[in-house]
Amino acid sequence: MMRMKAFAFLVAVLLISAGTFLEGHAQAATKPAVLTKGTSNGDVWDLQFRLKTLGYYQTALDGQFGTQTLTAVRKFQKDYGLAPDGVVGPNTWKALKKYSLNRSELDVMAKIINSEARGEPYKGQVAVGAVVMNRIQSAQFPDNIRDVVFQPGAFTAVDDGQYWLTPNKTAYLAAQDAVRGWDPTNNSLYYFNPDTATSAWIWSRPQTVKIGKHIFAK
């Protein structure tokens, strides 16, 4: 009987592991489609949300790649050194993902701001978000927000579970300001609380500014 239970448990574990692998593999293999005027699909919703977060798209999201979306795409492409052809291909998607967040990623940003900088002045909350964006854009760190936030040992609030607290409206506003390019940290990649920091390494980093209880560093 014990052997049968052990066998059943092993099978369940293998099935779960296989399912997780396949799901992750499928997600990794899925790439956004090339979008042009007239396109209507889920990737257009993603595109419009990213452009709206950056301030390029001003109207309600509708999932339709029309004239307003085209104008927003061209403005983004021009500002970020891309050919302003209005076609959202691999290079435009790469830039969008480097400098913007989609809806679910903005939730991740708001959670890390809320958990790491709750009680800090608004500027200090934006600063934490700016560090996250700087890491996404840096070759020293992963190129997406989930891998940056959940990198082992990167954020205390993830390690102690505070990350899962529900963020408030202020955290979302700070997240949006950080995504739109407000960086009070002067391109910092790290921050720490000098009253609680025990790492000699973090103290060795070149410091840029102190905001609230946090010192920011490169």
Side-chain angles (χ1 to χ4, degrees):
M1 188 66 174
M2 290 296 294
R3 288 182 179 178
M4 291 180 63
K5 288 183 177 179
F7 178 74
F9 175 76
L10 178 59
V11 170
V13 170
L14 290 174
L15 287 173
I16 291 171
S17 299
T20 301
F21 171 79
L22 291 172
E23 180 182 1
H25 183 73
Q27 289 176 347
T30 301
K31 295 181 180 180
V34 174
L35 305 179
T36 58
K37 187 177 181 182
T39 305
S40 175
N41 61 31
D43 288 330
V44 178
W45 288 93
D46 189 333
L47 170 68
Q48 289 177 334
F49 187 88
R50 290 178 184 276
L51 291 170
K52 193 176 185 71
T53 302
L54 290 171
Y56 289 99
Y57 186 79
Q58 305 297 335
T59 58
L61 278 62
D62 60 9
Q64 305 292 323
F65 196 134
T67 301
Q68 291 175 315
T69 303
L70 178 64
T71 300
V73 168
R74 285 176 172 167
K75 287 181 179 178
F76 171 81
Q77 290 172 325
K78 183 178 180 180
D79 288 350
Y80 285 84
L82 301 167
D85 56 9
V87 176
V88 185
N91 290 336
T92 299
W93 274 120
K94 183 177 180 180
L96 278 166
K97 291 184 176 182
K98 188 174 183 179
Y99 295 103
S100 71
L101 301 177
N102 63 23
R103 189 182 300 274
S104 63
E105 290 170 340
L106 193 67
D107 288 337
V108 175
M109 177 70 90
K111 285 181 178 179
I112 199 64
I113 289 174
N114 179 70
S115 57
E116 286 278 318
R118 192 170 59 257
E120 290 292 297
Y122 185 73
K123 184 178 180 180
Q125 295 186 43
V126 175
V128 167
V131 166
V132 175
M133 292 303 298
N134 291 341
R135 289 189 180 189
I136 294 171
Q137 294 157 21
S138 170
Q140 301 176 49
F141 293 89
D143 62 0
N144 66 85
I145 190 169
R146 288 184 176 83
D147 287 346
V148 164
V149 168
F150 292 103
Q151 191 172 29
F155 293 97
T156 302
V158 172
D159 294 338
D160 66 18
Q162 292 189 61
Y163 168 83
W164 302 103
L165 297 173
T166 302
N168 57 24
K169 182 179 179 180
T170 300
Y172 278 97
L173 292 174
Q176 291 176 350
D177 276 336
V179 173
R180 288 180 179 177
W182 182 15
D183 183 1
T185 77
N186 299 316
N187 300 312
S188 292
L189 293 171
Y190 307 96
Y191 61 89
F192 63 98
N193 185 332
D195 296 331
T196 59
T198 58
S199 168
W201 179 85
I202 195 63
W203 280 101
S204 72
R205 307 305 303 172
Q207 298 178 14
T208 59
V209 65
K210 188 175 189 294
I211 305 174
K213 295 180 178 179
H214 288 139
I215 292 176
F216 293 83
K218 293 185 178 181

